[in-house]
Amino acid sequence: MTLTVTDLTVARAGMPVLEGVSFVVAPGQALVLRGPNGIGKTTLLRTLAGLQAPVAGRVDGAGEAVAYAGHADGIKATLTVAENLTFWARIFGTQGIGTALAAYALEPLADRISGELSAGQKRRLGLARMLVTGRLVWVMDEPTVSLDAGAVEMFASAIRAHLGQGGSAVIATHVALGLEGAALDVSPFRAVLPAPGSDAFDEAFL
């Protein structure tokens, strides 16, 4: 499934942060988003994932095809590692967690209560969740936070495997992952805010 973004404008707290964003991500491709902190990468990713509506423009080929991984790991602290993955597999209507456990070297931790994991282990579990979604389009926001070098390579390998199976990914990251794919600096799409005192500026706060 091809993800097509056309002339997209996204807003945070009612104020546009990026405007006129357009790109295409075909099956088997990854797009890495670049740009300074606070420019709107997270807002853009949340819009792609359908968690908020765009101000203008279109997102085609997303919807039910998207799995989103944000800053939170999305795990239940009172469940074991295996129980967490099983829970998400049932939510997404898929079966089997063995591949997800193996991809992030979680087999020795399968029976560990998730709340007892280190920050890096929790992040690995949160990323392993993507592997049980069955979704073709992965949208990921700074996925390598709390990961050591070995775990970053696990993540990169999981992405390569996903792309090799016809999936695609849009990833905001400052880490070099060694992926073959395009990068998009969103800085040129920074929204031009109306001047204070203008009608458009006042309307933004109504």
Side-chain angles (χ1 to χ4, degrees):
M1 178 173 292
T2 298
L3 176 66
T4 304
V5 173
T6 307
D7 202 21
L8 195 68
T9 296
V10 299
R12 181 173 57 235
M15 295 292 289
V17 289
L18 297 173
E19 57 186 2
V21 180
S22 297
F23 58 81
V24 176
V25 184
Q29 294 182 339
L31 176 68
V32 175
L33 300 181
R34 306 287 192 193
N37 291 335
I39 196 170
K41 298 188 299 295
T42 294
T43 304
L44 174 58
L45 292 173
R46 287 176 56 83
T47 303
L48 298 182
L51 299 177
Q52 65 180 71
V55 175
R58 293 177 55 88
V59 178
D60 296 301
E64 294 300 316
V66 171
Y68 175 69
H71 293 153
D73 293 318
I75 63 178
K76 296 185 178 296
T78 58
L79 299 182
T80 67
V81 168
E83 287 170 342
N84 263 285
L85 291 176
T86 299
F87 169 82
W88 284 109
R90 289 173 178 169
I91 289 292
F92 286 96
T94 62
Q95 295 182 346
I97 64 171
T99 298
L101 288 171
Y104 287 95
L106 292 170
E107 298 104 326
L109 302 173
D111 295 325
R112 180 82 58 87
I113 297 296
S114 298
E116 300 174 355
L117 300 176
S118 69
Q121 291 167 340
K122 289 178 181 177
R123 194 58 171 170
R124 281 156 51 199
L125 175 55
L127 294 174
R129 176 171 54 92
M130 301 293 281
L131 291 166
V132 303
T133 65
R135 299 292 176 88
L136 290 174
V137 183
W138 290 359
V139 174
M140 313 184 79
D141 193 2
E142 298 294 348
T144 60
V145 171
S146 300
L147 297 183
D148 60 21
V152 169
E153 180 53 38
M154 292 178 198
F155 169 71
S157 295
I159 291 292
R160 286 192 289 266
H162 178 63
L163 301 182
Q165 295 166 1
S168 61
V170 182
I171 309 168
T173 181
H174 299 285
V175 176
L177 298 173
L179 300 175
E180 292 185 8
L184 175 67
D185 184 350
V186 299
S187 300
F189 302 103
R190 186 193 300 267
V192 178
L193 298 179
S198 68
D199 289 343
F201 183 86
D202 294 338
E203 289 172 1
F205 291 94
L206 294 178

